[in-house]
Amino acid sequence: MKAPDSFQSPNRWCDFHDDHGHKTEDCIALKMEDYQQHIRRLGSKRSGRLKHLLLRTDEISFTAKEQNKVLAPHHDSLVKSLTVANCLVKRILVDNGISTNIIFQTAYQDLGLEEDALTRKQTTGEVIVSVYAEEINMSTKFLIVECKSSYNMILGRPWIHDMGAVPSTLHQMVKFPTSLWIKEIKRDQENS
Protein backbone atom coordinates (compact mmCIF):
# COMPACT_ATOMS: atom_id res chain seq x y z
CA MET A 1 0.00 0.00 0.00
CA LYS A 2 1.51 3.30 -1.09
CA ALA A 3 1.21 6.50 0.90
CA PRO A 4 -0.95 9.28 -0.56
CA ASP A 5 0.92 11.94 -2.52
CA SER A 6 0.51 14.39 0.37
CA PHE A 7 2.73 12.15 2.55
CA GLN A 8 5.45 11.71 -0.06
CA SER A 9 8.18 13.86 1.43
CA PRO A 10 11.58 12.92 -0.07
CA ASN A 11 13.24 13.04 3.34
CA ARG A 12 10.74 10.54 4.82
CA TRP A 13 11.52 7.46 2.71
CA CYS A 14 11.64 3.89 4.04
CA ASP A 15 13.82 1.45 2.09
CA PHE A 16 12.13 -1.48 3.79
CA HIS A 17 8.59 -0.51 2.77
CA ASP A 18 9.63 1.17 -0.50
CA ASP A 19 7.33 3.99 0.49
CA HIS A 20 7.16 7.44 2.05
CA GLY A 21 5.85 8.15 5.53
CA HIS A 22 8.84 7.51 7.80
CA LYS A 23 12.61 7.17 7.56
CA THR A 24 14.24 3.75 7.27
CA GLU A 25 16.14 4.27 10.53
CA ASP A 26 12.80 4.93 12.33
CA CYS A 27 11.03 1.89 10.82
CA ILE A 28 9.65 -0.24 13.64
CA ALA A 29 8.79 -3.15 11.33
CA LEU A 30 12.38 -3.26 10.12
CA LYS A 31 13.72 -3.37 13.66
CA MET A 32 11.38 -6.24 14.52
CA GLU A 33 12.39 -8.42 11.58
CA ASP A 34 15.45 -10.59 11.31
CA TYR A 35 18.30 -8.83 9.48
CA GLN A 36 19.07 -11.76 7.18
CA GLN A 37 15.50 -11.82 5.87
CA HIS A 38 15.88 -8.19 4.80
CA ILE A 39 19.11 -8.82 2.95
CA ARG A 40 17.53 -11.69 1.00
CA ARG A 41 14.31 -9.74 0.34
CA LEU A 42 15.92 -6.50 -0.72
CA GLY A 43 18.81 -8.06 -2.59
CA SER A 44 22.44 -7.06 -2.62
CA LYS A 45 21.82 -3.75 -4.46
CA ARG A 46 20.51 -1.97 -1.36
CA SER A 47 21.79 -4.29 1.38
CA GLY A 48 24.93 -2.27 2.12
CA ARG A 49 23.02 0.95 2.82
CA LEU A 50 20.31 -0.89 4.73
CA LYS A 51 22.90 -2.78 6.79
CA HIS A 52 24.53 0.52 7.75
CA LEU A 53 21.19 2.06 8.73
CA LEU A 54 20.06 -1.04 10.58
CA LEU A 55 23.20 -2.12 12.41
CA ARG A 56 25.02 1.16 12.96
CA THR A 57 27.96 -1.00 14.03
CA ASP A 58 30.52 1.22 12.40
CA GLU A 59 30.84 3.26 15.59
CA ILE A 60 30.84 2.40 19.26
CA SER A 61 31.32 5.44 21.44
CA PHE A 62 31.03 6.55 25.04
CA THR A 63 29.58 9.88 26.11
CA ALA A 64 30.19 12.25 29.00
CA LYS A 65 26.57 11.64 30.04
CA GLU A 66 27.38 7.94 30.53
CA GLN A 67 30.38 8.88 32.63
CA ASN A 68 28.16 10.99 34.91
CA LYS A 69 26.33 7.82 35.96
CA VAL A 70 29.53 6.43 37.53
CA LEU A 71 30.45 7.09 41.15
CA ALA A 72 33.47 9.40 40.88
CA PRO A 73 36.29 9.82 41.42
CA HIS A 74 37.29 6.21 40.87
CA HIS A 75 40.16 4.02 39.73
CA ASP A 76 38.00 0.91 39.66
CA SER A 77 38.49 -2.19 37.59
CA LEU A 78 35.77 -3.15 35.15
CA VAL A 79 33.84 -5.82 37.08
CA LYS A 80 30.62 -7.38 35.78
CA SER A 81 28.07 -10.07 36.57
CA LEU A 82 27.18 -12.41 33.69
CA THR A 83 25.44 -15.72 33.20
CA VAL A 84 28.03 -18.46 32.71
CA ALA A 85 27.01 -22.11 32.22
CA ASN A 86 23.43 -21.08 33.15
CA CYS A 87 24.53 -19.61 36.51
CA LEU A 88 24.79 -15.96 37.49
CA VAL A 89 28.46 -15.30 38.25
CA LYS A 90 29.40 -12.10 40.05
CA ARG A 91 32.81 -10.44 40.25
CA ILE A 92 33.98 -11.09 36.68
CA LEU A 93 36.91 -8.88 35.77
CA VAL A 94 36.97 -7.65 32.15
CA ASP A 95 40.65 -7.06 31.40
CA ASN A 96 41.92 -6.24 27.92
CA GLY A 97 45.48 -6.62 29.19
CA ILE A 98 45.28 -10.40 29.58
CA SER A 99 45.62 -12.76 26.64
CA THR A 100 43.33 -15.53 27.92
CA ASN A 101 40.08 -16.10 29.79
CA ILE A 102 40.40 -17.53 33.30
CA ILE A 103 38.04 -19.29 35.69
CA PHE A 104 39.46 -19.73 39.15
CA GLN A 105 39.19 -23.27 40.51
CA THR A 106 36.76 -22.41 43.33
CA ALA A 107 34.39 -20.65 40.92
CA TYR A 108 34.60 -23.61 38.53
CA GLN A 109 33.63 -25.98 41.32
CA ASP A 110 30.80 -23.64 42.41
CA LEU A 111 29.39 -23.79 38.87
CA GLY A 112 28.96 -27.55 39.37
CA LEU A 113 30.69 -28.42 36.11
CA GLU A 114 32.11 -31.88 35.62
CA GLU A 115 35.83 -32.46 36.16
CA ASP A 116 35.91 -34.72 33.10
CA ALA A 117 34.95 -31.69 30.94
CA LEU A 118 38.42 -30.31 31.63
CA THR A 119 41.19 -30.74 29.12
CA ARG A 120 44.39 -31.06 31.18
CA LYS A 121 47.19 -28.66 30.38
CA GLN A 122 49.94 -26.94 32.38
CA THR A 123 47.21 -25.19 34.35
CA THR A 124 44.57 -27.14 36.26
CA GLY A 125 42.85 -27.48 32.88
CA GLU A 126 40.81 -25.71 30.28
CA VAL A 127 37.13 -25.84 29.53
CA ILE A 128 34.61 -24.36 27.12
CA VAL A 129 31.48 -22.93 28.75
CA SER A 130 28.73 -20.63 27.49
CA VAL A 131 28.84 -16.98 28.52
CA TYR A 132 25.61 -15.02 28.08
CA ALA A 133 25.90 -11.25 27.65
CA GLU A 134 22.63 -9.52 26.79
CA GLU A 135 21.47 -11.22 23.54
CA ILE A 136 24.72 -13.02 22.81
CA ASN A 137 25.35 -16.56 24.06
CA MET A 138 28.94 -17.47 23.20
CA SER A 139 30.92 -20.63 23.87
CA THR A 140 34.13 -19.39 25.48
CA LYS A 141 37.36 -21.22 26.29
CA PHE A 142 38.73 -20.68 29.80
CA LEU A 143 41.85 -21.78 31.59
CA ILE A 144 41.17 -23.15 35.07
CA VAL A 145 43.64 -21.74 37.57
CA GLU A 146 44.01 -22.83 41.17
CA CYS A 147 44.94 -19.78 43.21
CA LYS A 148 43.25 -17.25 45.44
CA SER A 149 41.67 -14.28 43.74
CA SER A 150 39.20 -11.56 44.58
CA TYR A 151 37.49 -12.37 41.25
CA ASN A 152 35.67 -15.49 40.12
CA MET A 153 36.67 -15.11 36.47
CA ILE A 154 38.68 -12.92 34.16
CA LEU A 155 37.41 -12.23 30.66
CA GLY A 156 40.43 -11.29 28.58
CA ARG A 157 41.13 -10.27 25.01
CA PRO A 158 39.81 -13.52 23.43
CA TRP A 159 36.28 -12.89 24.77
CA ILE A 160 36.49 -9.13 24.18
CA HIS A 161 37.57 -9.62 20.55
CA ASP A 162 35.13 -12.46 19.82
CA MET A 163 32.28 -10.25 21.08
CA GLY A 164 33.53 -7.25 19.10
CA ALA A 165 33.34 -5.51 22.47
CA VAL A 166 34.82 -2.21 23.59
CA PRO A 167 35.40 -1.98 27.36
CA SER A 168 35.76 1.35 29.18
CA THR A 169 36.94 1.43 32.79
CA LEU A 170 36.27 5.18 32.88
CA HIS A 171 32.60 4.67 31.96
CA GLN A 172 32.40 1.33 33.81
CA MET A 173 30.73 -0.49 30.92
CA VAL A 174 31.32 -2.73 27.94
CA LYS A 175 29.63 -2.04 24.60
CA PHE A 176 29.30 -4.52 21.75
CA PRO A 177 27.31 -4.89 18.53
CA THR A 178 24.39 -7.30 18.14
CA SER A 179 22.35 -8.02 15.03
CA LEU A 180 20.26 -4.87 15.52
CA TRP A 181 21.74 -2.65 18.23
CA ILE A 182 24.79 -1.65 20.16
CA LYS A 183 24.29 -3.30 23.56
CA GLU A 184 25.96 -2.37 26.80
CA ILE A 185 26.76 -4.19 30.00
CA LYS A 186 26.83 -1.76 32.88
CA ARG A 187 29.07 -1.78 35.89
CA ASP A 188 29.02 -3.64 39.12
CA GLN A 189 30.98 -0.75 40.56
CA GLU A 190 30.18 -1.67 44.13
CA ASN A 191 31.99 -5.00 43.52
CA SER A 192 35.06 -3.39 41.94
Side-chain angles (χ1 to χ4, degrees):
M1 176 181 212
K2 295 287 184 190
D5 291 340
S6 61
F7 288 97
Q8 293 188 2
S9 170
N11 61 349
R12 293 177 50 129
W13 176 258
C14 177
D15 284 332
F16 177 67
H17 290 106
D18 272 340
D19 198 5
H20 296 274
H22 59 269
K23 294 181 182 178
T24 305
E25 55 264 34
D26 298 330
C27 181
I28 294 171
L30 178 62
K31 292 175 184 175
M32 300 297 279
E33 293 283 327
D34 179 67
Y35 171 70
Q36 292 299 326
Q37 289 176 344
H38 299 301
I39 296 303
R40 285 191 294 274
R41 184 169 102 54
L42 295 173
S44 59
K45 180 179 175 185
R46 289 188 285 172
S47 65
R49 179 169 180 260
L50 184 60
K51 181 179 177 182
H52 171 75
L53 291 170
L54 180 61
L55 296 179
R56 298 179 189 253
T57 57
D58 57 339
E59 182 179 315
I60 294 178
S61 60
F62 297 90
T63 65
K65 184 178 179 183
E66 291 169 323
Q67 186 180 350
N68 292 337
K69 297 175 184 177
V70 177
L71 301 173
H74 77 87
H75 298 285
D76 298 335
S77 302
L78 188 53
V79 179
K80 304 290 172 200
S81 295
L82 294 173
T83 302
V84 178
N86 295 322
C87 296
L88 179 64
V89 178
K90 296 182 179 184
R91 299 203 44 78
I92 299 175
L93 175 66
V94 179
D95 184 356
N96 60 356
I98 189 169
S99 63
T100 189
N101 302 309
I102 295 174
I103 298 179
F104 293 98
Q105 182 74 36
T106 54
Y108 184 79
Q109 292 168 343
D110 290 345
L111 287 172
L113 299 173
E114 301 294 324
E115 288 290 325
D116 60 347
L118 294 177
T119 306
R120 300 289 172 189
K121 298 286 183 185
Q122 293 173 342
T123 61
T124 302
E126 62 181 41
V127 67
I128 297 175
V129 295
S130 63
V131 176
Y132 182 80
E134 296 296 319
E135 297 174 359
I136 307 295
N137 195 7
M138 183 183 304
S139 294
T140 306
K141 186 192 309 187
F142 287 89
L143 294 178
I144 310 298
V145 177
E146 189 172 352
C147 69
K148 293 189 185 260
S149 173
S150 54
Y151 304 106
N152 291 311
M153 305 173 123
I154 300 175
L155 290 172
R157 286 191 307 268
W159 181 83
I160 293 168
H161 292 179
D162 289 347
M163 289 288 290
V166 179
S168 172
T169 56
L170 179 63
H171 297 89
Q172 290 289 292
M173 68 174 62
V174 176
K175 290 188 177 184
F176 57 92
T178 65
S179 60
L180 293 176
W181 319 102
I182 300 296
K183 289 288 193 170
E184 57 187 48
I185 305 170
K186 297 195 187 231
R187 68 193 184 275
D188 286 343
Q189 193 174 6
E190 60 279 356
N191 290 323
S192 297

